[in-house]
Structures are given as C-alpha cells and as structure tokens.
C-alpha cells in the first residue's frame, strides 16, 4: 500500500497510520515492511486493527519515526520482518519488568521509570542517564459554592491522583504506549473524575506524548471544574540568571530570565544583558562577576509564571516572586497563542505544548519554584486562572414544541460525559530553546505527521462502503462538485467566524441559522449544538476520502474527537448513548444510540490507529443493554401494553447498534457480534413489508430480537435513513454477502419514491397514514435501488428529489453565500441565510453516495435539471 503525507507537515516525532488490505491477502502471521520512495527500508511496528469475515487482515496500524520517512512511503506484506540493524537503527525499545513494582522502559537514550504502586505516571524520565522530568501526576481542582456566616463564597478543593491500573498497550520496536486508569481523590477521601491517560515513549525520542481523558462524575450543582492537568517536577541547577522562561505569543515569543540583568546601580554591562536575552549561558568573570553578584543581592527573582488562554481572543502572562503575600504582575496580554512554553536552567530546558491550545481554551501553564533545585510545571487543560466550568443546564424544564427540544421535562445531565486532550513535553541541552525550536515543536504537536493513501485506492477497496470520486465531465457534475466544495468552505469558515471553540465545544457545529439575528440559534433548545444530528461526521469523512484534502481531514478529526467524547455517556445509566442536539451538549432528554454509534468514528480510528477510540468502541459493543434504562421511544408507547421491555426503530436505533456490533466483529473477528446483527436482520426479513416495515419495533436487549408492532414511525419515516443507516446497511450487506438484504435495501429505495397511491396498493394499505417524508434524505437508498434493480425510472426520481432540494424555479445559487456589512459582529459577515447543518450534511452525503450508483442518469446541464424538477413544491429547508 502506497501512502503520502497530508499537507506539508514537519516530519518530527513518531507517527501512526492505517493500511487497508484486500480480503484474503494477509493473515495474522503476515509481517510487514516499510520502504521510502527510493526503496530504503525503515523500521516500524505493526498491530492488526480489523479483520475480514474470512479471518484475513483488513486493517493494520503502523508506527515509525517520522524523521526517517519520505513524503511518499510504501508498506508491503512480507514473510520475514525487517530487522533494526538492516534499517540502520542501533537498538529497539525494551521493557524491564523484573524490578518488582518498578517498570523500566529503555528506549535508546531515553529511560522512563514507572512504579506500579505509586500515583505518579512515572518516577523519572532521563536522557543519557540525566533526569529531566520526575514524579508526573494528574491534578484536579474543583470549585464548590459555600455559605459562611450568611455570606456566599467559593471553595477550591484540590484532588490528587490515584492510579488503579498500569498496562502496556504497545511494546514494539519503536514505541511503547503506557495506559493508566485511575481517579482523583481529595484529602477527605472524596473521589471525582475518573481518568484514562496514555503516554507514548519513542525509541531515541526526546518527546513524551500524553493523551488525557477524564469523565465527569460530579454533582453538577456543586462540582465546577476549576483546574485539570498534569504536573511535572523538573530538576534545576545553576545560577538564577541562567534560568529562563519562554512562551509563544501572537507573534514571536515572550522570553525572560528569572533575574533579568538590567539594572540601575550598579549597571550591568549591556552586552551581558543582551547575551542573556539571546539565551546564552552566562559565565561572568572578574569585575563583571562582581557587578552581577552585587545586583543579585538586591533584586527580585521571578519564581513563578502563569500563562492562561482564558478565551478564544485573549491570553495573559503574569509572574510573581516566591512569597504567598505578594501579588502577580501582568507581563503580557495577547489574542491567540499556539501554546508552546519552555523554561530551563544550566541543567537544560523543557518544552511543553498542548494540542489546539487556544482552540480548546482555557488552557495554560503554571511554572513555579523556578528558583529552587526542583521546579514544578503544571500543564493545564483547564487553567484555574480562568472562570470555572459550570455543568448545570440553562433551564429547569424542556421546551418541546417552541424550542424543538425532545420533551417538556428536563433531561439534562453531564454525569458520564468525557473530554480528551493531548499534550507533549520534550527537552533540550540548552538553557532555553530557540524561538524556532519551540515553534517547530509546537507546530508538530498541533499538526502531527499523518500518512494516507490516494482517494482512488480507498475507492477501489470500498473503504467504509459506497462513495464517489469527484468528476467534472459536464455542467451538472461541475455544479454538484462546486456545491460540495462550497459547503465545506462555509463550515470551515464558520468555525472561525463564529468562534466555535472551547474545551467542550471545539469540533462541533451549530444546528440551524437565524437569518434575522445573523447568528446561529445558540439559545434555542434543539437548534443549538448539532451533536452529530443527521451525521455531518459521515459527510466530512466521505468528503475527505474522495478528495484527500488535509483541511477536510482536520474538520472531520476535530468533530470526531468532540462528538465521541462530550456528546456521549461513558459511564452511568446512559453509558453508550448520546444526547440529542441542544443548547448544552448533554442537555436534551433524548438519549440515543445514534449519537454515540461507532460508524461516526471508524474512519478516524482505522486511518490513525487512535487508541482512545478503542476504549469508546469497547463501551459501545454491548450498549443495547442501556435500552433497558432509556427506551428511545418510551414516551410514545404504553409500557403496560408492551411484550418486549424496550423499543428500537430499524433506523436509527437498531442500525446504530449494528454499527457498534459490526465494528466489534471486525476488530476482533468475534462471531458473537455477527450473530447479533443477523438476529435483527432475520426479524426484519420476517416483517410484512420487510425493511419498509415499522420502522418502530419492540426490542429485547438481552436476545437482541426485534418484534413487529405495526406501521408507525415516531418522529417521521425519514429518521429511519437520515442518521447513517444506509451507509451502515450497505457495508454490512457486503460483509455478510447477504443478497436478500441487498434486495430489501433496493426495494426500500424504490418504495420510498413511489406515488402515494402505489405505496398503498403495494402494501395493501398496511402503511396507513405513514408518510415517507423529506425524500431527498432517502436518495442514497433510492440510488442503491436504481443501481441494484437497474431501474431507470427510479434513478430519475432519485435525482429529481435530490436536485430539487437545492434547485427551484431556475435558482442555481445552491450553497452560495452572501456578504453583509456590520452584521453578526463582523465587518464583513459571510452567511447562507437559510442554512441548517441538517440540510448541509444530508444533502452533501447523499450527493456523494448517489453519484457512485447512478452518475450516468444525472442530467447533463442545469437546463435539463430545471425541466426535471419543474412543478415540484418549494423545498422545506429553503423556506425555513
């Protein structure tokens, strides 16, 4: 498999990417070799991430030193693995677990010692025998309201880490991954915020990379997040004037010494101060040394620096001396920092960087005890210098009809949501790194090297099912591709224009636009945050697969990271479910499997090997049992009249479970999960109208059987196929080689587009009042049906509904935006007045899929399209 880098990212650190293999080509015993474009072998390690139904290997994940790689590489199946020596590498990562409770990782010149009995992530990290970090530990601060003598106040409670489990996930030749599972504990024994932390150690790498995940298990009325991060101890040596700090600002860096040699009397020579500010190690002699020592006896030493990006548009740096009764001094105010930070002494320097530093504010650092032999560095994912995070809901009830919320009762709860953040630390032998070194390191953390194949390869392999490659052979193909590009550009720009940032928001989009206020409906219940409604995840990932564009990969990556964590419950009674779109990501009382399903994020996992998603997939594999706690249709049916204990619509509820089972089946080749899929498929095959039936069914989570209960579609028939079900079913049918299911999908697509009279006739009136609403959302199913049945009439109907959704009355503007002056707090506001993410995601996704099946039936010109859609009513979304 040939791959190339995304964009022009600096090739430093270790990188992991995925490879897909033809069914039957590779087995569990297959070895793999990595070569650069010129044929030079490169050492790498491999793990299997998915299997084909016949047990052969489907996906693998590979890790290698990015600095040794070309822009183009090739991974080859071989009979014998390539040795380190043949790749010019002197040694590999080794584990020494025979030291009692001490685990030693030897990675060339890097040694990391981990105690299985302490509550530290590691005891020490050393380079060529010299420690540069010690006693790393997770930290948590919670702010709690308090009353005292009739006055209200706030108490900040500090929690320390308690590590329950340490395990080695990867122990290959080039990288070791250590996984920690634990929680935070206060002095009174109260525990909060379970965590999962991963640390990556690369062979001969000075980088330690961390992925930090926490789950919220607090009391939302009193447990406000005040601080969250990882704290390190850093050995310091040498003179105070050879100790420096450096932070990246908007432009360049902020750089100081703890003792800046700029004085009034006696005056330190200017050249000494200039050398100090240039980062040179000072060794004054004679009279200069006497002058410097005199100055040092009579000046403050800045022992603590605090750096906080407290909003999307502001960061601040402040400092103080080592005295509790003294204030901070403001050093610098700025707008956006990329988050690189460093400090050092004659012992060397350490650099820190938080990925997406300003985008996931409030991030920051606290460096303290800088004048001592051991300094403390706290990397804050949530900086205590910012306002505490309030997890409470915005109202004490829901607003079902007026504000499009699930129900009128309050169903908001943050209990069980999660959030994942990433940071890295490295070090230098110099007393402070250069601006360039800090900038390159920070850029690598923010944009790590990523390899991918060409779209044509993934398309040939049918990676993740059916989707089309771009083509512009005629006017209509060109117009469609233009609208797809416009949609991506619009949302990419909206993230920036609307400041969709912050730890719990970054990655998500808003749901529906308000053209009168010229802003998204951020305060209107179900119209606010999108929470994967109508699968913008699938739209963006397919958009990347067909284009290979780095910017689309980043949009999809951030959406997957957010949606898989914040929008989903990872513990508690809703574990494995997610919250429907709302003002708060956890706000809607509708808790459903579709928001959490594995189908959203399989792309990211298989192409990057992201270990955190393995945790999430494990949470989802049996999440049907959560339907006993939350029936997705519990408010629509009388419990006393039910035979099975819960409900599942064939889509999106059962289809989402299928996505979870399919992912578990292919990850471990576990036939138990294939059987779960087939049980439900058989039940649907036995329904009177097969896949058209329902889509509401009773559901027994223990047996995973569906029970037909008649023709009723709670929320509308379109919900059956607008939440990713077609994409899941198509891939599932191919894996199972189930021709009956394929024909059922084809017949479903045909039936959806039949005239009403014919629907009633073919169903013998069984569908009753059921409407087949919002037909453009069924286009993928219609196109599949036209392709499978070779039905030209169905192909024409499919295109008519899909094209009419964006073409009406000779208007071909499509996704064209307009520019308004002095609106939406913008000098020049770019908006699409009628836009909703529901429409954008579904229309774009369906176009991408439909082109794969019935491209030849697409009208060739806009004039032909106008004739095709003539006489159809104005589109619902455009009117809205």
């Amino acid at each position: 498999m040939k791959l190339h880098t995304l964009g022009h990212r600096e090739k430093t650190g270790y990188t992991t990417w995925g490879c897909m293999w033809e069914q039957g080509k590779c087995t569990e015993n297959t070895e793999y070799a990595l070569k650069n474009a010129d044929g030079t072998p490169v050492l790498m390690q491999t793990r299997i991430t998915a299997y084909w139904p016949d047990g052969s290997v489907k996906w693998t994940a590979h890790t290698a030193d990015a600095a040794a790689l070309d822009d183009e590489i090739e991974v080859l199946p071989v009979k014998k693995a390539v040795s380190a020596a043949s790749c010019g590498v002197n040694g590999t990562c080794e584990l020494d677990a025979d030291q009692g409770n001490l685990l030693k990782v030897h990675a060339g010149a890097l040694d990391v010692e981990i105690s299985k009995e302490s509550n530290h992530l590691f005891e020490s990290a050393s380079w060529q025998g010299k420690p540069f970090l010690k006693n790393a530990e997770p930290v948590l601060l919670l702010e709690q309201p308090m009353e005292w003598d009739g006055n209200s106040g706030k108490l900040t409670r500090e929690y320390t880490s308690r590590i329950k489990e340490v395990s080695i996930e990867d122990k290959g030749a080039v990288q070791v991954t250590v996984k920690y599972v634990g929680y935070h504990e206060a002095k009174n024994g109260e525990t909060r915020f379970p965590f999962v932390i991963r640390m990556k150690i690369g062979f001969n790498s000075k980088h330690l990379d961390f992925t930090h995940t926490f789950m919220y298990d607090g009391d939302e009325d009193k447990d406000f997040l005040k601080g969250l991060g990882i704290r390190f101890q850093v050995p310091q040596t040498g003179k105070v004037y050879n100790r420096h700090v450096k932070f990246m600002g908007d432009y360049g860096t902020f750089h100081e010494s703890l003792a800046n040699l700029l004085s009034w009397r006696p005056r330190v020579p200017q050249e000494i101060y200039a050398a100090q500010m240039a980062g040179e190690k000072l060794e004054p002699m004679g009279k200069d040394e006497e002058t410097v020592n005199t100055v040092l006896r009579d000046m403050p030493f800045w022992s603590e620096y605090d750096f906080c990006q407290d909003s999307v548009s502001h960061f601040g740096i402040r400092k103080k001396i080592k005295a509790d009764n003294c204030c901070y001094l403001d050093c610098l105010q700025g707008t956006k920092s990329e988050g690189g930070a460093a400090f050092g002494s004659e012992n060397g320097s350490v650099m820190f960087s938080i990925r997406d530093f300003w985008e996931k504010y409030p991030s920051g650092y606290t460096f303290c005890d800088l004048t001592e032999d051991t300094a403390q560095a706290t990397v804050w994912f949530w900086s205590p210098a910012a306002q505490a995070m309030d997890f409470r809901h915005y109202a004490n009830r829901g607003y079902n009809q007026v504000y499009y919320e699930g129900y009128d009762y309050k169903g908001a709860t943050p209990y069980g949501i999660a959030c994942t953040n990433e940071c890295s630390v490295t070090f230098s032998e110099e007393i402070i790194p250069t601006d360039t070194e800090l900038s390159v390191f920070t850029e690598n953390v923010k944009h790590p090297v990523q390899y991918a194949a060409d779209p044509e390869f993934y398309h040939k392999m049918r990676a993740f099912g059916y989707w089309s490659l771009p083509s512009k052979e005629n006017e209509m193909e060109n117009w469609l591709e233009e609208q797809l590009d416009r949609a991506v550009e619009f949302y990419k720009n909206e993230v920036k224009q609307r400041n969709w940032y912050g730890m719990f928001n970054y990655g998500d989009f808003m749901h529906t636009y308000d053209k009168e206020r010229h802003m998204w409906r951020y305060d209107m219940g179900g119209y606010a945050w999108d929470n994967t409604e109508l699968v913008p995840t699938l739209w963006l990932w397919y958009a990347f697969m067909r284009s290979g564009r780095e910017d689309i990969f980043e949009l999809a990556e951030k959406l997957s990271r957010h949606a898989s964590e914040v929008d989903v419950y990872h513990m508690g009674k809703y574990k494995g479910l997610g919250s429907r779109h709302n003002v708060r990501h956890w706000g809607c009382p509708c808790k459903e499997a579709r928001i959490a399903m594995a189908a959203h994020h399989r792309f990211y996992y298989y192409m990057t090997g992201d270990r955190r998603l393995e945790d999430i997939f494990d949470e989802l594999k049996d999440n049907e049992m959560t339907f006993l706690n939350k029936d997705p249709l519990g408010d629509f049916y009388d419990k006393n009249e039910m035979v099975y204990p819960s409900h599942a619509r064939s889509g999106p509820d059962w289809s989402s479970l299928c996505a979870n089972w399919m992912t578990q089946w292919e990850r471990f080749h576990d036939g138990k999960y294939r059987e779960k899929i087939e049980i439900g498929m058989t039940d649907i095959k036995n329904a009177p109208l097969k896949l058209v039936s329902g889509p509401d069914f009773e559901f027994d989570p223990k047996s995973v059987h569906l029970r037909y209960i008649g023709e009723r579609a709670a929320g509308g028939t379109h919900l059956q196929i607008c939440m990713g079900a077609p994409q899941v079913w198509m891939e599932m049918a191919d894996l199972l080689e189930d021709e009956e299911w394929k024909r059922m999908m084809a017949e479903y697509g045909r039936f959806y587009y039949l005239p009403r009279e014919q629907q009633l006739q073919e169903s013998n009136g069984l569908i009753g009042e059921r409407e087949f609403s919002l037909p453009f959302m069924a286009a993928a199913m219609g196109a599949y049906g036209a392709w499978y049945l070779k039905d030209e009439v169905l192909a024409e109907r499919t295109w008519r509904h899909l094209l009419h959704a964006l073409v009406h009355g000779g208007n071909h503007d499509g996704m064209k935006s307009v520019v308004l002056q002095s609106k939406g707090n913008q000098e020049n506001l770019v908006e699409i007045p009628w836009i909703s993410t529901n429409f954008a995601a579904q229309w774009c996704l369906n176009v991408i899929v439909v082109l794969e099946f019935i491209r030849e039936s697409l009208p060739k010109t806009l004039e032909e399209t106008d004739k095709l859609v003539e006489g159809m009513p104005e589109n619902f979304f455009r009117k809205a």
Side-chain angles (χ1 to χ4, degrees), residues 36 79 271 310 359 394 792:
N36 277 321
K79 293 183 178 180
E271 60 270 20
D310 56 18
E359 292 91 340
Y394 78 99
E792 287 296 331

Side-chain angles (χ1 to χ4, degrees), residues 165-195:
E165 179 185 339
V166 180
S167 59
I168 303 297
E169 284 189 321
D170 295 314
K171 46 184 177 181
V174 300
Q175 190 177 75
V176 172
T177 303
V178 187
K179 180 181 178 181
Y180 308 86
V181 177
Y183 55 88
H184 303 87
E185 184 176 84
K187 290 182 179 179
N188 65 359
E190 180 183 76
T191 62
R192 286 290 185 269
F193 288 26
F195 60 77

Side-chain angles (χ1 to χ4, degrees), residues 39-50:
T40 305
V42 181
L43 187 65
M44 72 171 180
Q45 65 191 50
T46 299
R47 74 179 197 271
I48 299 169
T49 52

